[in-house]
Amino acid sequence: MAYVPGVALLAALVVGCSAGADGNANGADSKAGSPTVTPAPPGKYLTLPAPCRAVPRSMLKDLLPGAAELPGDQQDKVFRGSAAVTYDTDRKVGCSWKSDAPSATRSLSVDFERVVSYDPAVSDDDRADTVYAKKEKAAGLSSSATPGPPDEKDKKGEESETSEGSGKAEDPADADADATGSAEPSPSESSGGSTDGTPGSSSSPEEALPSRILDNLGDAAFLQDLPKQAGSPAQHHTVSVVFRTSNVVVTVRYAEQPALITQVPDGRELQEKAQALARKLAETLSE
């Protein structure tokens, strides 16, 4: 009598296992048609350059007038620069330089940020573009309209929308008018849109093209011009150039502080030199 139930129990177990196998097979078939998520491609750059060696000495001599006249040890110290404090040199590095000349003090800094996306659905480049866009917005610029060559933008100047408030880019024609019509534009006035240009023959030292989106520099770039604050006796003038190339965002800051408050920095010169350095860094990254 005890033997028969044992056989029955064994048969029941076999039937149960077969049913479970069929269930797994059906489950596998149901998942076979599910879409497969392809991870976003990684960024182009896996490392960052040594920031204090990123600027050629020949450019440093031009950017830091007076440093070349210093004694050997002092000159080397200026050109060596000071590395920025960072906790992850694979993700963010920087360096700064400063030169004190009898007529003025010039300071320069460069920062490199390698952006990594930890979301498999978002590429490193897209994440870097978001980081860059935040910097562009903080500068009071808008890249809703992609800038074209200078001649095309001039033709489209009358068709551009009028800037509303100080936080949006102005029409190129308006920007040129502001640059020539005001000797000391405020930071809000200097955030108009324009393409990068060359100095005009009639420009005075304190006049400079306003903040604007730049063409032909990395994947995206802008320049922020910050002349002296209204009401401040100091004639401090800072120019920043920020650009993105693939998953790296680079920031160049260049400033001048004249020794005398009666002296006014040449804003256009600062802009030209900051842009020249930014383009050199972009070329170096592309090598």
Side-chain angles (χ1 to χ4, degrees):
M1 295 295 294
Y3 179 78
V4 174
V7 174
L9 178 60
L10 179 60
L13 290 175
V14 172
V15 171
C17 291
S18 300
D22 292 339
N24 292 338
N26 292 335
D29 291 340
S30 63
K31 294 180 181 179
S34 301
T36 302
V37 178
T38 302
K44 176 180 179 181
Y45 302 102
L46 302 178
T47 59
L48 291 171
C52 292
R53 295 199 297 269
V55 183
R57 177 165 288 213
S58 59
M59 294 194 75
L60 286 174
K61 289 181 178 180
D62 182 51
L63 291 162
L64 304 171
E69 283 71 42
L70 294 173
D73 293 343
Q74 297 181 31
Q75 182 181 140
D76 290 339
K77 182 179 179 180
V78 171
F79 291 144
R80 187 163 55 246
S82 300
V85 177
T86 179
Y87 299 100
D88 189 350
T89 55
D90 285 334
R91 295 290 301 277
K92 194 170 186 179
V93 295
C95 191
S96 60
W97 298 262
K98 186 177 181 181
S99 171
D100 294 314
S103 59
T105 296
R106 295 264 182 125
S107 58
L108 169 71
S109 69
V110 295
D111 293 287
F112 299 87
E113 180 178 359
R114 186 176 69 91
V115 182
V116 177
S117 172
Y118 294 101
D119 185 347
V122 179
S123 68
D124 292 348
D125 284 20
D126 288 343
R127 176 58 182 157
D129 190 49
T130 300
V131 172
Y132 165 83
K134 290 181 178 179
K135 295 178 180 291
E136 186 181 273
K137 183 178 180 181
L141 297 172
S142 173
S143 59
S144 57
T146 303
D151 56 339
E152 294 181 2
K153 290 178 70 69
D154 291 339
K155 293 178 182 178
K156 297 177 181 179
E158 297 180 355
E159 301 176 1
S160 301
E161 296 182 357
T162 303
S163 173
E164 299 179 2
S166 61
K168 294 184 179 180
E170 299 174 356
D171 177 83
D174 295 336
D176 292 339
D178 289 343
T180 56
S182 174
E184 295 178 1
S186 65
S188 61
E189 291 173 338
S190 68
S191 62
S194 172
T195 55
D196 51 335
T198 56
S201 58
S202 62
S203 63
S204 59
E206 70 270 20
E207 291 177 339
L209 292 173
S211 302
R212 60 202 182 275
I213 304 298
L214 298 177
D215 297 325
N216 304 319
L217 176 56
D219 296 316
F222 71 85
L223 179 148
Q224 184 179 24
D225 184 271
L226 296 173
K228 61 165 284 189
Q229 297 290 332
S232 173
Q235 296 283 357
H236 190 273
H237 197 129
T238 302
V239 172
S240 296
V241 176
V242 180
F243 69 91
R244 178 184 73 84
T245 174
S246 186
N247 61 317
V248 170
V249 179
V250 182
T251 301
V252 174
R253 294 185 184 87
Y254 188 42
E256 178 181 348
Q257 172 72 62
L260 302 176
I261 61 175
T262 55
Q263 296 176 323
V264 180
D266 189 337
R268 291 192 176 226
E269 178 194 3
L270 295 175
Q271 288 193 15
E272 288 179 347
K273 290 186 176 182
Q275 289 184 74
L277 175 56
R279 296 185 190 283
K280 177 63 177 178
L281 295 176
E283 292 175 1
T284 302
L285 284 170
S286 299
E287 293 176 353

